[in-house]
Amino acid sequence: MSEIALTMLGTGSPRPDIERSGPAQVLTIDGTHILIDCGEGTSTQLLKAGIPLESINHLWITHLHSDHLFGYAQFLIGGQGNGRRELTIVGPKGIKKYHQRILELYEEDLNYRLSLGRSPKGLLDVNIIEIIESGEIKTDIPAYVTCAEMVHNVKTFGYRFYIEDKVVVISGDTAPTPNIVELARGANLLVLDSALTTTSVYTKGGNKEFSKVFENLKKKHCTPVQCGQIAQEAEVKTLVLTHFLPEADGEEAFAETSSVFAGEVIVPKDLQKIKVD
Ligand SMILES: [Zn+2]
Ligand SMILES: [Zn+2]
C-alpha cells in the first residue's frame, strides 16, 4: 500500500497575507514529491515543511496566473543551487515560454552562477510537458493522471491523480462547472478553490471598488457553499478548501460548506499535512 499525503504549503491568494502563503501544495507518494503550483513563498514553505527543494523533480502548474507562479524563479534557481539535477514541469500551453522568459530575465545572473562551476543540469535542461486538452497525461510520476478544463479566465486544468485505489483531485482556480464534478467523482480527497468566502477583505469595510471586483470574481472562483455542493454531487470523501483571501473567516467557511456537504471538510492552515488513507 502506498503512503499518500498532501501538504498544503500555501492556502492564500494573489493578495499578500501574513497567515497564508501563495497557492502551492505537495502531493507525496511513497517519498516522491509532486509540487502543484508555485505561489509566492513556496521555497521557504517547503523548507518549513521539511521537504528539501532538491528532492522535488516534478512541478505541475494548474494555470499561468501570477499568484500560482510568483515563487517559480526562486524554486527553479534556488532549488537547483541546493542540488536538484532533474526537473519535469507539466502545465497548460504557455508554460514553456514562461520558463524560457525567466531564464532570459536572469541570463546574466545565471551565467555568473554557472561560471562558479555549478552544473547546468536541472536548470537549463528542464523537461516541459504542455497540456493542450483534457484527458490522460503521460509522465513518470507514480500515479495515473487525467485532467479537465476548469472555468477561469485563462486555460486552467484540474488534475485527478489515481494512486492504486485512492484518488486525489486538485481543482486549480475555478467557478462551478460540471467538469469539476466529473473530475472529482468519488475522490478520497478534493482540493477546491474557495476564494469567495462570505467574509474577507473584499466584503468587509464597504469599499466600492472591492465590492465591484468581488462581484466580477463570482464568474472565476467558488464560494464555500458552491464547494460543498460540488463535493456532495461528486460524492467526495474529504473536501479541502483553499485559495483564501486576507481576513477570510475560516470557521464561517467551514460551517457554510458543512451545511451542504455530508463528508469531511478541512479548512487548512498553511503547512497542514493531510494523509490519504
Ligand atoms: Zn487564477
Ligand atoms: Zn489563483
Side-chain angles (χ1 to χ4, degrees):
M1 250 346 201
S2 288
E3 227 172 85
I4 310 161
L6 189 77
T7 306
M8 302 301 293
L9 295 175
T11 59
S13 70
R15 302 284 293 272
D17 187 343
I18 205 162
E19 301 288 333
R20 297 186 184 275
S21 190
Q25 53 256 295
V26 176
L27 175 62
T28 305
I29 307 166
D30 290 330
T32 298
H33 302 297
I34 300 131
L35 175 60
I36 304 155
D37 284 338
C38 199
E40 171 78 8
T42 294
S43 294
T44 45
Q45 292 299 90
L46 282 167
L47 294 176
K48 285 181 197 166
I51 302 172
L53 268 68
E54 62 274 27
S55 71
I56 296 184
N57 304 115
H58 307 279
L59 168 62
W60 290 52
I61 297 293
T62 57
H63 65 301
L64 302 179
H65 271 168
S66 56
D67 54 320
H68 297 250
L69 287 167
F70 275 140
Y72 180 64
Q74 170 76 304
F75 170 76
L76 175 73
I77 300 167
Q80 201 266 350
N82 280 8
R84 183 198 63 238
R85 291 295 173 263
E86 265 179 56
L87 182 62
T88 295
I89 303 175
V90 177
K93 191 168 165 49
I95 187 70
K96 244 181 211 174
K97 189 167 154 194
Y98 175 80
H99 167 79
Q100 207 52 45
R101 285 201 169 160
I102 294 286
L103 292 182
E104 283 161 22
L105 268 176
Y106 294 108
E107 192 179 359
E108 249 184 69
D109 171 272
L110 295 177
N111 286 340
Y112 155 66
R113 284 169 210 289
L114 295 174
S115 77
L116 298 173
R118 192 186 280 178
S119 163
K121 283 181 74 63
L123 182 67
L124 302 184
D125 60 351
V126 175
N127 176 31
I128 301 178
I129 300 167
E130 289 195 329
I131 311 167
I132 311 296
E133 56 184 17
S134 302
E136 182 187 343
I137 303 169
K138 289 204 172 84
T139 70
D140 59 352
I141 65 165
Y144 172 79
V145 193
T146 61
C147 69
E149 212 174 309
M150 300 292 105
V151 172
H152 204 41
N153 84 314
V154 294
K155 186 85 95 170
T156 301
F157 287 107
Y159 297 119
R160 180 179 173 103
F161 298 87
Y162 298 78
I163 310 124
E164 293 165 3
D165 61 341
K166 301 288 188 299
V167 169
V168 175
V169 175
I170 313 282
S171 74
D173 292 3
T174 190
T177 160
N179 284 2
I180 185 59
V181 176
E182 268 322 297
L183 191 73
R185 182 78 60 202
N188 297 78
L189 199 71
L190 166 64
V191 179
L192 200 44
D193 165 10
S194 177
L196 305 179
T197 49
T198 304
T199 305
S200 79
V201 68
Y202 275 121
T203 62
K204 281 170 106 177
N207 179 315
K208 272 192 184 154
E209 185 187 309
F210 283 4
S211 302
K212 190 178 162 195
V213 171
F214 189 74
E215 276 309 303
N216 284 324
L217 285 175
K218 288 181 180 170
K219 299 176 206 112
K220 320 288 178 199
H221 297 275
C222 291
T223 66
V225 167
Q226 288 168 335
C227 288
Q229 287 164 339
I230 290 164
Q232 182 67 20
E233 201 184 334
E235 299 182 56
V236 163
K237 287 202 177 78
T238 300
L239 170 62
V240 181
L241 305 182
T242 193
H243 209 282
F244 293 106
L245 291 155
E247 297 182 53
D249 185 331
E251 283 178 22
E252 184 183 50
F254 177 87
E256 288 171 358
T257 308
S258 302
S259 72
V260 293
F261 175 52
E264 182 189 18
V265 178
I266 298 177
V267 178
K269 289 191 163 66
D270 276 13
L271 302 175
Q272 191 166 330
K273 188 173 175 179
I274 301 157
K275 287 198 170 154
V276 185
D277 46 24

